[in-house]
Amino acid sequence: MSFDPERSNFAPTLRSRRTWARIGRWLFIAATVVALAALMMMLYNVATSTVGLVAVEYEREPSTLVEQPLEEVSKEELVALLQANISAGLFRRLEHDQPFATRSRETVYDLVIEHVVAETIVRSWPLDKSLVDRAAIEAEIAADYPTARVRFHAWLQPQFLTRSMSSNPEQAGVRTALLGSLWMVLITMLLAFPIGVGSAIYLEEYASDTLLNSILQSNINNLAGIPSIIYGMLGLAIFVRTLEPYTSGAAFGVLDGNGRTILSASLTMALLILPIIIVSAQEAIRAVPQSIRLASYGLGATRWQTTWYQVLPVAMPGILTGTILAMSRAIGETAPLIVVGASTFIVSDPTGPFSKFTVLPIQIYQWTSRPQAEFRHLAATAIVVLLVLLLTLNATAVLVRQRLGRLP
Amino acid sequence: MGVDNFPPMLVLRRRSRPGEWLIQGFLLLCALLSILTTLGIVVVLGRESWLFFGDEAVTLSEFLTSTTWQPAIGHFGVWPLLNATLMTTTIAMLVAIPLGLGVAIYLSEYAAPHVHDFLKPTLEVLAGIPTVVYGYFALTFMTPLLQNLFGRETVEIYNTASAGLVMGIMILPLIASLSEDALRAVPRSLREAAYALGATPLETSTQVVLPAALSGISAAIILGISRAIGETMIVSIAAGAGPSFTLNPFEAAETMTGHIARISGGDLSYNTIDYNSIFALGMTLFIFTFSLNLISRIIVERFREVYE
């Protein structure tokens, strides 16, 4: 055997190995930084669109209507202003929709802006650009739209939650979509929670290791991996079409509309989140110590008594945490509801399971799909509302786990 | 006190309890509902696809080989849609696999405990952001960025590159989180043995820990692919509306999921070829994702290294 200094002595390779180790370390850190930066960029991109400069044009200057600023005018004066400046027919129609006596000052103000001042946004910018390039923006607008005025506009404002859908971006809000989301989630949870927890109890407390049960278990795992849009197609074929008499409410005496209702959406969504609830409830039930069950059986309790009085109370924090996470999934899902048939433009609030509906993510999708920049701002604002809702739910889940989760 | 004092009423025979049986029956029904769901999906997709292929305008061979999807003139070749799906998925995985694995290795092998305890939940919260938000990001941020980088002439407003890149960002937390779990499950003794032999941290993590966790990591990647194929909102917002067979990532192309969402979003009348065609696409989608999920589970079960 000949002597090979390269092989016997590792010193020459040591330096390069150490260099590579350093490079590797920085690569992994870089990957993490890039990943987090991309995700933070997304949140920044949304946040910066919720406030910003807009260029507005008026048909009637507000200063030519009354002396004091329009924001300070009382409701009665606003009504008078409206009556004096719009056609009698339109005024009667508005009165017919809802008498002015019962309208709030806020809505009357909106009507004045819409019909008398006729403010239209001609251009809009996100906050970062508004702050950095304000001079350039004002110069550009002075050249392109001599009559327009540049001012800041907060897309995210309290009224955004209470205004309903409108084709005028300044008047549009998410009330209809928010109510639709709440109705849908309420019915979904009423259906999915008992069935999901029931399945989990069966699988953990009752099922012995037979063929049927292993099929059940692997089936649930498979369901969790099916794309959500396929649940939408299932809902379209079964709930919207085949069960139309029930989901449209025709069987219960509600005679307008078709199967594309909140009920159909909720049934579809319940099937979609069922696997999530089952799996998390199973884990929570499995974590209950066997000694509790044995003690209960030892005192002569039946299986259901043991489950209901001993196992479920201990497992409940875990079950609730999983359920809340499933709920946030239901609130954020869009694709299946498009297929089930969320309405594209409705202004009337949902009133029950048989109403036509739209939900927050659908509203975001529709505003994003519009070419005008103003609707992008609305989409960003609606995203903020959605994310705040989801974050609240997630925080609740964490709290539930911390406060109640004193597992023995 | 003798045996006579024993309460005569106590009979140690098993009592029949109809209530218990009723409850057990109800619970079984709950559990069976999930089987019904699977059956429902298979039956619905199967029946409507059957009607679709039963139409004289459609043949299975055309569906599987043709590169035109134009329902208006009776051409139903799945390739334009499938190709767009594969393109967005490939681009997404090119982003998600290296970055996701990098994050996973950093979190499990390098990060200090407090950094790990902060980053891991953050990743999980980010993984819960609705996909429509990612769609908004793709259209309002990624597409303008690509247009600035490569020029407005080359990059169309709707393109598969933007959708794919953002989809990669969306899947990244999933892959990172699952891979990190797999890496953490590798026992400490393996790392210590490697260090004792003089290996650098890089050699330990890439040549010892990574191979040991390979089954879990492959399963995570396959799950990520399956998620990318089934993802709908990002592609319907950013990838384009209209099937076209192109290999250029800067051109608009509609994916299978995007097509299903667009067709069913309009006023769809039942029993038309359009209605049936989306179910054939759904069937294709179902077969793809189902097989991928199955493979991922088999990998985990068969090839998992069990230590101790």
Side-chain angles (χ1 to χ4, degrees):
Chain A
M1 289 266 278
S2 63
F3 178 73
D4 182 353
E6 285 284 30
R7 280 174 182 278
S8 67
N9 186 355
F10 63 84
T13 61
L14 190 59
R15 176 175 291 184
S16 80
R17 283 173 57 208
R18 285 200 175 144
T19 314
W20 276 112
R22 259 201 306 281
I23 295 174
R25 186 186 138 84
W26 282 111
L27 278 180
F28 295 135
I29 293 179
T32 312
V33 170
V34 168
L36 284 175
L39 291 161
M40 291 307 143
M41 196 62 223
M42 186 166 87
L43 298 181
Y44 170 78
N45 181 48
V46 168
T48 193
S49 292
T50 55
V51 184
L53 285 177
V54 291
V56 287
E57 273 183 339
Y58 305 112
E59 218 151 80
R60 299 273 304 273
E61 280 288 326
S63 53
T64 62
L65 293 168
V66 280
E67 274 124 46
Q68 72 226 83
L70 209 53
E71 287 81 17
E72 291 164 18
V73 177
S74 72
K75 180 186 154 192
E76 285 67 34
E77 285 177 78
L78 284 172
V79 174
L81 218 113
L82 203 59
Q83 197 161 17
N85 286 289
I86 61 177
S87 69
L90 180 58
F91 189 80
R92 264 202 308 279
R93 210 185 70 217
L94 292 171
E95 175 80 28
H96 176 77
D97 286 348
Q98 192 187 351
F100 279 100
T102 64
R103 287 181 191 247
S104 68
R105 188 199 166 274
E106 197 56 53
T107 54
V108 179
Y109 177 79
D110 283 350
L111 285 174
V112 171
I113 294 291
E114 190 182 342
H115 294 291
V116 184
V117 180
E119 186 180 87
T120 45
I121 295 180
V122 287
R123 292 282 301 276
S124 59
W125 295 267
L127 181 62
D128 48 2
K129 207 156 188 284
S130 306
L131 293 176
V132 178
D133 286 346
R134 177 148 196 182
I137 286 171
E138 275 171 355
E140 189 188 329
I141 285 304
D144 292 355
Y145 303 94
T147 58
R149 203 183 291 167
V150 178
R151 65 171 168 84
F152 263 100
H153 179 69
W155 301 93
L156 183 63
Q157 47 177 307
Q159 292 93 309
F160 185 70
L161 293 177
T162 54
R163 285 177 176 149
S164 64
M165 185 62 196
S166 164
S167 52
N168 176 2
E170 251 195 304
Q171 307 286 324
V174 287
R175 190 183 69 212
T176 315
L178 201 58
L179 286 173
S181 275
L182 294 180
W183 267 107
M184 194 235 5
V185 164
L186 177 76
I187 301 175
T188 301
M189 295 323 289
L190 284 179
L191 293 164
F193 182 72
I195 296 177
V197 177
S199 308
I201 293 175
Y202 182 81
L203 287 169
E204 288 302 312
E205 300 290 314
Y206 285 82
S208 42
D209 246 347
T210 60
L211 182 66
L212 173 71
N213 299 316
S214 67
I215 292 175
L216 277 173
Q217 192 64 62
S218 63
N219 177 54
I220 287 165
N221 294 339
N222 274 329
L223 279 179
I226 292 177
S228 57
I229 193 164
I230 289 185
Y231 283 95
M233 303 178 82
L234 177 72
L236 174 65
I238 303 275
F239 302 132
V240 176
R241 205 181 152 191
T242 313
L243 298 178
E244 182 153 25
Y246 303 98
T247 51
S248 67
F252 310 102
V254 185
L255 283 173
D256 51 332
N258 50 18
R260 295 167 183 265
T261 56
I262 289 184
L263 185 61
S264 295
S266 304
L267 286 164
T268 309
M269 204 54 92
L271 291 185
L272 188 133
I273 63 168
L274 210 49
I276 309 173
I277 295 186
I278 295 178
V279 170
S280 64
Q282 270 187 290
E283 275 165 16
I285 292 174
R286 212 176 297 148
V288 176
Q290 194 63 17
S291 55
I292 291 184
R293 295 187 187 85
L294 295 179
S296 173
Y297 287 134
L299 290 169
T302 63
R303 187 171 279 199
W304 176 247
Q305 285 165 342
T306 305
T307 309
W308 183 253
Y309 292 107
Q310 311 304 332
V311 177
L312 276 185
V314 180
M316 206 33 96
I319 295 177
L320 285 181
T321 309
T323 306
I324 294 173
L325 293 181
M327 209 157 132
S328 55
R329 172 85 189 270
I331 290 181
E333 270 297 345
T334 324
L337 297 184
I338 295 181
V339 179
V340 168
S343 305
T344 43
F345 190 95
I346 47 171
V347 282
S348 55
D349 292 341
T351 52
F354 304 120
S355 300
K356 290 193 289 181
F357 72 103
T358 185
V359 292
L360 262 181
I362 298 270
Q363 192 69 75
I364 294 169
Y365 169 57
Q366 276 154 5
W367 276 333
T368 308
S369 310
R370 299 244 197 149
Q372 301 95 321
E374 294 78 58
F375 288 102
R376 301 275 165 84
H377 290 285
L378 289 176
T381 313
I383 286 175
V384 170
V385 174
L386 180 65
L387 290 184
V388 166
L389 199 63
L390 294 180
L391 216 59
T392 318
L393 276 178
N394 274 301
T396 318
V398 172
L399 273 185
V400 166
R401 191 156 43 187
Q402 278 174 355
R403 286 285 162 82
L404 305 171
R406 288 184 297 257
L407 282 178
Chain B
M1 297 275 275
V3 177
D4 297 351
N5 290 11
F6 205 77
M9 294 301 287
L10 189 69
V11 183
L12 291 174
R13 184 160 43 81
R14 185 170 235 211
R15 199 154 50 125
S16 96
R17 293 175 185 275
E20 290 277 318
W21 282 108
L22 220 63
I23 288 168
Q24 182 161 359
F26 170 74
L27 295 175
L28 178 62
L29 278 183
C30 288
L32 285 178
L33 186 70
S34 64
I35 299 246
L36 270 183
T37 310
T38 311
L39 280 182
I41 289 173
V42 172
V43 167
V44 162
L45 293 181
R47 191 188 59 200
E48 304 292 338
S49 307
W50 184 257
L51 290 174
F52 173 70
F53 289 118
D55 194 286
E56 61 250 21
V58 187
T59 60
L60 185 61
S61 65
E62 193 205 1
F63 183 74
L64 292 178
T65 55
S66 163
T67 56
T68 14
W69 180 280
Q70 280 177 319
I73 52 168
H75 284 302
F76 292 95
V78 76
W79 275 102
L81 303 170
L82 187 58
N83 175 60
T85 296
L86 294 179
M87 267 171 60
T88 48
T89 305
T90 311
I91 296 169
M93 295 327 279
L94 287 178
V95 174
I97 294 177
L99 283 181
L101 283 186
V103 173
I105 294 177
Y106 172 73
L107 280 182
S108 119
E109 307 299 311
Y110 291 89
H114 66 272
V115 178
H116 174 270
D117 290 350
F118 167 73
L119 284 182
K120 186 86 198 256
T122 310
L123 277 183
E124 275 161 9
V125 168
L126 289 172
I129 292 181
T131 54
V132 68
V133 180
Y134 286 92
Y136 174 86
F137 182 59
L139 191 63
T140 61
F141 180 82
M142 193 57 84
T143 303
L145 183 73
L146 290 177
Q147 286 185 327
N148 286 339
L149 285 177
F150 299 102
R152 277 169 190 281
E153 308 78 46
T154 38
V155 183
E156 296 180 6
I157 293 180
Y158 300 105
N159 61 79
T160 43
S162 164
L165 288 171
V166 172
M167 204 192 275
I169 298 174
M170 180 203 97
I171 291 168
L172 192 159
L174 174 86
I175 291 188
S177 188
L178 289 177
S179 305
E180 204 257 353
D181 290 343
L183 290 170
R184 288 236 144 187
V186 175
R188 222 182 137 70
S189 55
L190 260 72
R191 298 184 180 88
E192 281 162 359
Y195 286 127
L197 289 170
T200 62
L202 179 71
E203 288 161 351
T204 309
S205 47
T206 55
Q207 292 170 30
V208 176
V209 183
L210 202 65
L214 203 57
S215 71
I217 291 176
S218 335
I221 290 174
I222 293 172
L223 271 187
I225 297 176
S226 152
R227 179 74 73 81
I229 291 179
E231 168 47 37
T232 311
M233 291 324 295
I234 299 176
V235 291
S236 4
I237 291 176
S244 76
F245 187 75
T246 168
L247 290 172
N248 183 348
F250 294 138
E251 280 176 16
E254 193 169 48
T255 67
M256 295 196 289
T257 50
H259 188 75
I260 296 173
R262 181 169 63 88
I263 295 298
S264 56
D267 263 335
L268 187 63
S269 38
Y270 306 134
N271 295 325
T272 57
I273 191 92
D274 271 349
Y275 178 82
N276 294 336
S277 76
I278 64 169
F279 285 87
L281 291 174
M283 193 67 172
T284 318
L285 201 61
F286 179 71
I287 292 170
F288 265 95
T289 52
F290 185 80
S291 332
L292 285 171
N293 293 344
L294 210 62
I295 293 170
S296 138
R297 284 244 304 291
I298 290 171
I299 289 179
V300 170
E301 275 160 27
R302 289 278 163 79
F303 302 104
R304 184 172 53 194
E305 307 271 347
V306 182
Y307 301 97
E308 282 144 81

